[in-house]
Amino acid sequence: MEGFEWLIEKNFIIESFERVKYNEPVAEFYEWLGALEDDQTIVNKADRIRLCMKFFDVDYYRMQSIKDIKRVNACHDLFCYNCQHNIALKRFGKYMPILEDLSKDFDLYHVVFTVPDSEACMLKSTIKQMYKKFVYINQYFNGSRKSSFVDFSQFGCVGIVRSLEVEFKVRKDKLWYHPHFHCVFVLKKGMNFRKVKYNCFSHSYKNERLRSFTRFEILLQNMWYMLYNDIPFTQRNFDEITRGYSCTADKCDSNEYHEVFKYAVGGLFKWKNRDLICRQVLDTLYHALYRRKIIQGYGILNRFKFDLSENDDEAIRSYYEYKKRLLAFEKPVKEVQTMSQVKRDINEGQIVYISRFKKTLKVK
Ligand SMILES: [Zn+2]
């Protein structure tokens, strides 16, 4: 079919509708918090998240049975699964060509930094300390902070992306939060760290297989523990400490870093945690993350301007050419559609939905 590249698949819309179903508890939370703090801007968030994906502005080409989505009412809220999902896709689309390019000259590592699980009352201070101390990690790796006993220049780090994720789980009738950073480190090519050591974290990995760690991972584990606990990063302290925090650094093969990156910058929390979302969780996260940047690029990955690339320009041109052909038949009618109208169209299957935004959400 001509214009197929602009077609919005049925599942894409259906899945979006499924995701926004989980927004009602968030809306109720904003109403509650807005009343509690007597703050109308918070109450307004409730209205916005309730209306997410509920209205579509379309150009309707009746004779050709095509509806071109011009705008979707999206809330962009931190707790909206749908908006966060779409933002993650967009982010992925912007970073991926850059990582692909970098992978020719560098190796990419998926690095995870964790700290012990935190109770609700401690989450804000835990995250504050993680953010504060990650700055040091970046400084050691970029050379602006020197260590007396580790030569960080050996890793040839040129860039990092750091993304916060907070998982939560019920343990012994209590809710525990597990904040951690997923990162992509862009390091010198060909270091091939060998796995050499087992330690207390070796047992806790998938498939219950014992995992050994590389010297690089052990360095990160001990260093992260020291930084987080305000222990000076000296050789003596390093040699004396008997523990670290669980950190892993896995080299991404060329065929897997798409997946790794998608996972690493997927956003604040995972879909599997959705059923635990309640007022208590939202209240904790809202205050713990207030004005925090969830994703941050450093070094070479901070300097890129993630604007539309030439390819995107090309894609947009092709959209306008396609649209010109639609217009040769008829002038569209401008309509505002509700979610239920869109659902009806999809079920009946007579009308085709297209959008020029399709390309910006496209994932390999
Ligand atoms: Zn939304």
Side-chain angles (χ1 to χ4, degrees):
M1 174 194 155
E2 200 193 353
F4 183 75
E5 58 193 320
W6 306 107
L7 183 79
I8 303 288
E9 287 91 1
K10 184 176 168 178
N11 279 353
F12 183 86
I13 299 183
I14 291 173
E15 283 165 16
S16 300
F17 290 164
E18 280 302 309
R19 285 188 213 102
V20 292
K21 278 184 188 166
Y22 289 88
N23 282 349
E24 184 52 30
V26 184
E28 284 168 16
F29 159 71
Y30 281 135
E31 277 174 345
W32 168 80
L33 186 69
L36 191 74
E37 299 195 354
D38 193 19
D39 187 339
Q40 188 57 36
T41 56
I42 299 178
V43 178
N44 294 344
K45 282 171 179 274
D47 297 337
R48 275 204 299 277
I49 200 166
R50 272 203 184 101
L51 292 175
C52 189
M53 291 294 285
K54 295 292 193 302
F55 295 102
F56 292 68
D57 293 343
V58 300
D59 281 355
Y60 184 13
Y61 297 85
R62 286 166 185 264
M63 276 162 21
Q64 297 163 91
S65 301
I66 290 175
K67 288 184 180 176
D68 182 4
I69 301 172
K70 310 305 287 184
R71 198 184 74 90
V72 180
N73 205 54
C75 67
H76 305 294
D77 193 277
L78 181 63
F79 298 128
C80 171
Y81 275 121
N82 191 54
C83 288
Q84 288 307 314
H85 174 84
N86 287 340
I87 289 168
L89 288 186
K90 268 188 202 163
R91 188 183 297 134
F92 180 83
K94 283 176 180 175
Y95 269 98
M96 203 36 67
I98 293 156
L99 290 183
E100 254 164 9
D101 212 34
L102 286 171
S103 70
K104 290 174 200 150
D105 300 316
F106 299 91
D107 282 337
L108 305 180
Y109 284 79
H110 178 209
V111 183
V112 181
F113 294 89
T114 73
V115 293
D117 291 352
S118 167
E119 286 184 60
C121 60
M122 293 302 293
L123 187 67
K124 190 181 170 82
S125 59
T126 302
I127 289 177
K128 187 178 174 196
Q129 182 73 346
M130 288 171 72
Y131 272 66
K132 188 173 160 196
K133 295 304 172 158
F134 192 84
V135 172
Y136 287 63
I137 295 272
N138 178 51
Q139 287 172 345
Y140 278 119
F141 276 93
N142 75 17
S144 61
R145 183 179 286 270
K146 296 282 182 229
S147 156
S148 58
F149 68 107
V150 181
D151 175 15
F152 282 91
S153 70
Q154 66 181 296
F155 304 116
C157 180
V158 294
I160 298 174
V161 186
R162 187 232 68 210
S163 166
L164 175 72
E165 187 182 323
V166 184
E167 281 188 58
F168 25 93
K169 50 189 165 229
V170 179
R171 208 169 55 225
K172 290 186 182 158
D173 292 335
K174 207 183 217 176
L175 200 54
W176 290 89
Y177 295 82
H178 176 53
H180 52 284
F181 288 140
H182 282 280
C183 306
V184 175
F185 276 52
V186 184
L187 304 183
K188 192 168 82 180
K189 217 174 181 56
M191 269 178 302
N192 297 321
F193 302 115
R194 277 188 306 122
K195 301 215 180 274
V196 290
K197 248 180 115 172
Y198 293 93
N199 64 20
C200 59
F201 304 118
S202 298
H203 297 277
S204 56
Y205 286 87
K206 327 162 215 173
N207 308 330
E208 295 177 6
R209 248 190 25 237
L210 214 57
R211 175 183 168 136
S212 56
F213 294 105
T214 62
R215 285 191 205 289
F216 182 56
E217 288 173 311
I218 309 262
L219 168 69
L220 295 176
Q221 290 170 0
N222 294 351
M223 177 183 183
W224 181 233
Y225 173 83
M226 293 170 75
L227 291 173
Y228 185 85
N229 291 290
D230 298 320
I231 301 168
F233 189 57
T234 62
Q235 173 123 49
R236 189 170 163 187
N237 289 338
F238 190 85
D239 291 341
E240 278 176 3
I241 63 154
T242 53
R243 56 167 304 183
Y245 284 155
S246 175
C247 298
T248 53
D250 292 302
K251 189 172 147 187
C252 314
D253 290 337
S254 55
N255 55 356
E256 67 179 14
Y257 67 82
H258 292 95
E259 275 312 304
V260 167
F261 189 75
K262 211 193 299 178
Y263 184 83
V265 300
L268 184 57
F269 37 59
K270 293 276 179 267
W271 183 234
K272 66 178 184 193
N273 270 161
R274 65 191 181 278
D275 290 326
L276 285 173
I277 294 282
C278 61
R279 186 193 286 175
Q280 186 202 345
V281 168
L282 291 166
D283 193 32
T284 304
L285 290 175
Y286 182 84
H287 291 100
L289 300 170
Y290 190 66
R291 295 196 169 155
R292 289 265 173 233
K293 222 172 165 182
I294 304 298
I295 310 251
Q296 174 72 52
Y298 298 92
I300 205 164
L301 293 169
N302 187 28
R303 285 200 291 275
F304 282 109
K305 292 220 180 320
F306 295 115
D307 296 333
L308 289 179
S309 67
E310 280 170 24
N311 287 343
D312 291 318
D313 288 344
E314 185 55 41
I316 296 301
R317 247 198 309 279
S318 115
Y319 162 81
Y320 281 110
E321 268 167 30
Y322 174 61
K323 192 174 148 170
K324 222 191 277 175
R325 289 198 288 279
L326 295 180
L327 285 167
F329 279 98
E330 63 187 312
K331 246 181 113 176
V333 183
K334 292 203 179 301
E335 285 190 358
V336 178
Q337 305 224 289
T338 61
M339 188 193 245
S340 47
Q341 277 173 303
V342 176
K343 273 185 190 162
R344 203 164 45 237
D345 284 346
I346 288 174
N347 288 334
E348 288 169 2
Q350 302 297 322
I351 292 185
V352 168
Y353 276 82
I354 62 165
S355 175
R356 79 182 173 87
F357 303 113
K358 166 84 183 280
K359 282 288 167 96
T360 56
L361 293 178
K362 199 170 176 188
V363 180
K364 275 189 178 179

